[in-house]
Amino acid sequence: MSAVPATDPRRPAEEAPAPSSIDRLTGLGNEERLREAVQTIVTERAADPAPFAVGLANIDGFKPINDLFGPAAGDEIICQVAQRLATCVPDGAAVMRIGGDEFAFLLPLVFERKGAERVGQRLKDVLAAPFDLGERSVRLSASFGFAIHPFAGAAFADLMKSADTALYRSKRRGRGQITVYSSEIAQEMKRATQLEQALRNAIMAGGVDVHFQPIVDLRSDVVVGFEALARWCDADLGYVSPDVFVPIAEERGFIDKLSDMLLRKAAEAAMDWPRELFLSFNLSSAQLTDPSTAGNILSIIRSVGLSPARLELEITETAVMTDTEVAHTIVAELRSEGVRIALDDFGTGQSSLGRLRDFSFDKVKIDRAFVSRISSDRVSEHIIKAIIAMCEGLGLEVVAEGIEDFAQALKLKALGCGLGQGYFYGKPIDQRATLRAITERYQDLAPVAASA
Ligand code: C2E
Ligand code: CA
Ligand code: CA
């Protein structure tokens, strides 16, 4: 929070605000106005304290919208957002704009979590309708964080910090989330910060590892490649799942550092394998919004000496959806160099079929959720059957993920699924164990280290 000149706390709330506390673009109050209004309500209620709430709203992915449509359209959207928020806050409440795409609310009559969530939901709904930009319209969502005075902080700065923590948590959980601050949430965020620090250190020290899980040809049970999976064991925090630390690196903006290190390690390991084995590497969704990703990946594998034809990149539908144009460019550039693209976790996202038409993929990985139920659930079996038929028609390879037993493998083979992966064929193992396993299988081939 910035330093602010002294204000008269006794000024009634309805008095016209000073120009210094007005946001020029939207005509709403600014952060200074919010501070004054909070101060006023605290003073008014000094004798008989009753809780009230402050809230923050931040537009999701506003920067790409601004970049795509230009700053004038960005301003127009901000004004429309301001208008919608101002008309739909509850009686007695106030809306301010306190940053580029950030708004704040003062809710004098909201005194507990449920009430704050209701307001959040209402504001979220009102922003869901398309925004009119003359010739085109734009859809957007916002994330919300609320804090209740005095529990979440008696002083203005503390209260806003709590609201910010709540907003931050919403942002971490994806788009359009609503969080009301509580001590549990503060605890959760604290742990995330600890993890972040430890992870940053581990990345600097090269302490995050890659393990490899075999991908087999289901017709012959022969290993055709390996998926690289990140592994991190911290001295204090113990084993931390990539499902936990990858999102932290994404949200806190250092996924490219982590990913570069992992790709380098994985590519170096793959240089010791026979050249017909491919390396499959997971790209995070954040990387597909960064135009430098393709060049970066290519330069890493070139410096290691791995041929692009041996590299496969796994991307998810959500990744493709975030910033379709940039994602298209990245995928096209990589494919033109011979890198193959696999659509990961297929079947769990939204509107999968359209995505297959719009994007050029080489492979589809059927999510474990379907494979694990294939023996017991006819619906899952039919879904898998349909995916296999569709991919055949589109000329795409199919990998079934998470095969855990013989029965599942048998069924997938019978359905004509080309490739498989899962504990039944091998758990992820470290670089040395992988090389050992390969050498055992390939013992009658030429020394593997000679291959490129
Ligand atoms: P994913 O890409 O879907 O990876 C497959 C996950 O399923 C892995 O979990 C793997 O260990 C697990 N798995 C494989 N076979 C079986 C099985 O038969 N049964 C069961 N129950 N699980 C199986 P893991 O290694 O914990 O990775 C979790 C997720 O973290 C990955 O899901 C991926 O989204 C992400 N991730 C892992 N490594 C990286 C990485 O290097 N970069 C990025 N961006 N994400 C990664
Ligand atoms: Ca994967
Ligand atoms: Ca997967």
Side-chain angles (χ1 to χ4, degrees):
M1 303 283 130
S2 53
V4 177
T7 50
D8 180 358
R10 289 156 304 171
R11 197 177 71 195
E14 59 273 16
E15 190 177 300
S20 66
S21 60
I22 291 179
D23 169 51
R24 294 240 299 272
L25 177 65
T26 60
L28 295 176
N30 59 15
E31 185 166 349
E32 175 52 26
R33 177 81 193 109
L34 174 68
R35 182 192 301 268
E36 291 167 9
V38 167
Q39 191 55 56
T40 303
I41 198 169
V42 169
T43 311
E44 277 170 8
R45 295 184 184 184
D48 183 13
F52 65 90
V54 294
L56 293 173
N58 188 292
I59 301 175
D60 298 322
F62 184 67
K63 193 180 172 307
I65 296 178
N66 215 24
D67 292 348
L68 193 63
F69 295 105
D75 283 356
E76 175 59 30
I77 292 173
I78 292 292
C79 288
Q80 290 187 30
V81 168
Q83 213 164 19
R84 287 192 198 180
L85 293 176
T87 48
C88 100
V89 286
D91 288 346
V95 186
M96 294 86 176
R97 175 172 178 244
I98 62 166
D101 61 343
E102 194 150 311
F103 294 85
F105 316 97
L106 174 61
L107 307 162
L109 302 179
V110 171
F111 53 88
E112 43 78 65
R113 182 173 63 86
K114 285 234 159 59
E117 283 171 353
R118 265 197 300 277
V119 174
Q121 191 59 49
R122 192 159 126 189
L123 298 172
K124 183 182 148 182
D125 291 345
V126 85
L127 295 181
F131 287 82
D132 185 14
L133 284 183
E135 285 176 2
R136 47 194 159 188
S137 67
V138 180
R139 278 182 189 277
L140 49 80
S141 63
S143 303
F144 295 85
F146 292 92
I148 316 270
H149 185 276
F151 317 116
F156 178 72
D158 295 336
L159 186 65
M160 292 314 292
K161 196 164 162 246
S162 296
D164 209 45
T165 302
L167 173 65
Y168 186 63
R169 177 173 179 271
S170 290
K171 283 275 178 196
R172 283 179 45 106
R173 310 193 101 193
R175 298 170 161 248
Q177 297 288 319
I178 299 164
T179 304
V180 183
Y181 179 90
S182 68
S183 55
E184 290 80 36
I185 278 163
Q187 203 55 39
E188 184 190 314
M189 293 294 98
K190 201 172 144 198
R191 181 166 156 79
T193 303
Q194 268 173 352
L195 275 174
E196 178 194 350
Q197 286 314 322
L199 182 58
R200 281 184 188 274
N201 292 337
I203 293 172
M204 268 190 316
V208 185
D209 246 321
V210 261
H211 282 202
F212 299 92
Q213 185 177 32
I215 298 172
V216 302
D217 182 331
L218 287 178
R219 285 159 294 231
S220 57
D221 283 355
V222 165
V223 174
V224 289
F226 288 89
E227 176 175 0
L229 292 159
R231 290 292 176 265
W232 176 40
C233 192
D234 178 76
D236 300 320
L237 301 162
Y239 173 79
V240 186
S241 161
D243 276 329
V244 172
F245 70 78
V246 170
I248 289 181
E250 283 178 352
E251 287 143 16
R252 311 235 170 165
F254 56 98
I255 185 65
D256 40 344
K257 278 207 185 68
L258 172 63
S259 193
D260 287 0
M261 183 191 86
L262 293 170
L263 178 61
R264 183 172 294 278
K265 283 191 179 190
E268 279 166 0
M271 288 300 289
D272 290 339
W273 309 341
R275 71 180 75 189
E276 63 268 29
L277 294 182
F278 66 82
L279 168 69
S280 205
F281 187 81
N282 292 285
L283 270 199
S284 107
S285 38
Q287 291 177 282
L288 280 177
T289 61
D290 177 356
S292 69
T293 294
N296 207 17
I297 289 172
L298 292 168
S299 93
I300 290 173
I301 59 165
R302 271 190 204 119
S303 76
V304 173
L306 185 80
S307 154
R310 288 185 61 199
L311 182 65
E312 234 172 70
L313 294 170
E314 302 191 4
I315 64 182
T316 61
E317 280 173 74
T318 24
V320 177
M321 274 167 12
T322 329
D323 191 340
T324 329
E325 245 168 85
V326 177
H328 259 292
T329 316
I330 294 172
V331 165
E333 187 177 342
L334 289 163
R335 287 188 90 228
S336 74
E337 295 292 321
V339 176
R340 276 166 304 162
I341 307 291
L343 184 55
D344 203 358
D345 306 337
F346 187 73
T348 55
Q350 308 157 5
S351 63
S352 321
L353 300 181
R355 212 69 58 198
L356 285 179
R357 192 197 54 205
D358 299 342
F359 254 86
S360 314
F361 294 104
D362 301 279
K363 199 179 251 185
V364 161
K365 300 189 80 173
I366 305 177
D367 195 75
R368 177 156 60 86
F370 300 110
V371 175
S372 64
R373 290 197 296 255
I374 192 173
S375 308
S376 57
D377 168 20
R378 292 302 297 264
V379 178
S380 294
E381 185 182 334
H382 281 299
I383 292 175
I384 291 184
K385 221 166 158 173
I387 296 176
I388 293 170
M390 181 186 66
C391 288
E392 209 171 77
L394 293 170
L396 300 172
E397 285 192 285
V398 186
V399 189
E401 289 190 298
I403 304 177
E404 290 188 345
D405 58 43
F406 183 60
Q408 291 168 351
L410 218 55
K411 197 138 224 173
L412 287 158
K413 287 176 194 215
L415 292 177
C417 184
L419 301 166
Q421 178 181 359
Y423 294 169
F424 177 65
Y425 288 104
K427 290 197 170 180
I429 46 175
D430 69 18
Q431 178 180 350
R432 281 174 64 185
T434 302
L435 194 54
R436 226 175 13 247
I438 293 175
T439 331
E440 278 162 20
R441 281 183 196 244
Y442 282 81
Q443 49 198 336
D444 38 22
L445 293 180
V448 292
S451 65

